[in-house]
Amino acid sequence: MKKHPMIGIRILLLAVLFAGVAVKAASAGEWRDFTADSVEYRLSRQPELTMKKFKSKVMVFNRGEVKVVQIKNYITDKKKHDVLIKIAISYGSVGSMVYDRNNNLVAEYGRGKPVSESRYSFEQKQGENTVFGDWFVSDDDLMSNFEIKDKNGLLLYKETVIYMAKKPKKKRSGK
């Protein structure tokens, strides 16, 4: 019986995320308030460009070789998050899972690779299209950059979100 490649990724992600929850009190940070600016492009008969600003909460914690980033986005509601993103980095592998407001899994990206200490990249086929994603993570700023291209390289969708801590741990350069 051939083992599906995503099974291993899911098991790794679940193990990392559950381990992270178990050690949360001992080594995790707190949920911190962030602001987020989003720019989204969709190819259609009349290409659409949408910009949004919303509230976000971010928690980053490390435990040895495991780093977990969790992001709650409050796009339409100030009390209940619309989106929950979990990024797990462990032993040279990165996985990301995206949940809706009811904690239903809506997307998962496995087999990501750390490009540097603060950049994590994904590339995944979805039918005829390919999803490319990058996360840039620091203590006070995060950026996600995701795009979908068809088999000919035509850009169908692109979204970039920049997250900034309301109370930075470090002084921002240039200010």
Side-chain angles (χ1 to χ4, degrees), residues 106-117:
V106 293
E108 87 184 89
Y109 305 98
R111 295 192 225 174
K113 301 280 184 223
V115 176
S116 68
E117 194 173 308

Side-chain angles (χ1 to χ4, degrees), residues 110-167:
R111 295 192 225 174
K113 301 280 184 223
V115 176
S116 68
E117 194 173 308
S118 61
R119 180 179 171 206
Y120 311 103
S121 291
F122 302 88
E123 182 176 329
Q124 181 172 307
K125 288 296 246 180
Q126 282 187 342
E128 297 265 320
N129 301 328
T130 304
V131 177
F132 299 92
D134 280 301
W135 275 100
F136 301 86
V137 179
S138 73
D139 285 340
D140 296 321
D141 306 292
L142 294 93
M143 184 172 77
S144 67
N145 187 47
F146 279 78
E147 56 186 43
I148 301 173
K149 293 183 178 183
D150 72 7
K151 64 183 178 183
N152 299 317
L154 179 65
L155 183 63
L156 304 173
Y157 175 84
K158 181 174 183 67
E159 181 188 49
T160 300
V161 182
I162 298 172
Y163 301 87
M164 294 188 335
K166 286 188 176 181
K167 293 182 183 176

Side-chain angles (χ1 to χ4, degrees), residues 10 16 24 34 53 58 63 66 93 102 116 120 125 131 144 146:
R10 287 181 182 162
V16 167
K24 179 179 171 186
F34 278 64
K53 191 179 225 28
V58 176
R63 172 120 194 246
V66 177
S93 294
N102 298 315
S116 68
Y120 311 103
K125 288 296 246 180
V131 177
S144 67
F146 279 78

Side-chain angles (χ1 to χ4, degrees), residues 53-71:
K53 191 179 225 28
F54 53 89
K55 179 178 123 176
S56 187
K57 290 189 179 274
V58 176
M59 181 190 305
V60 178
F61 57 94
N62 294 293
R63 172 120 194 246
E65 295 293 318
V66 177
K67 180 176 187 175
V68 176
V69 179
Q70 295 186 82
I71 303 165

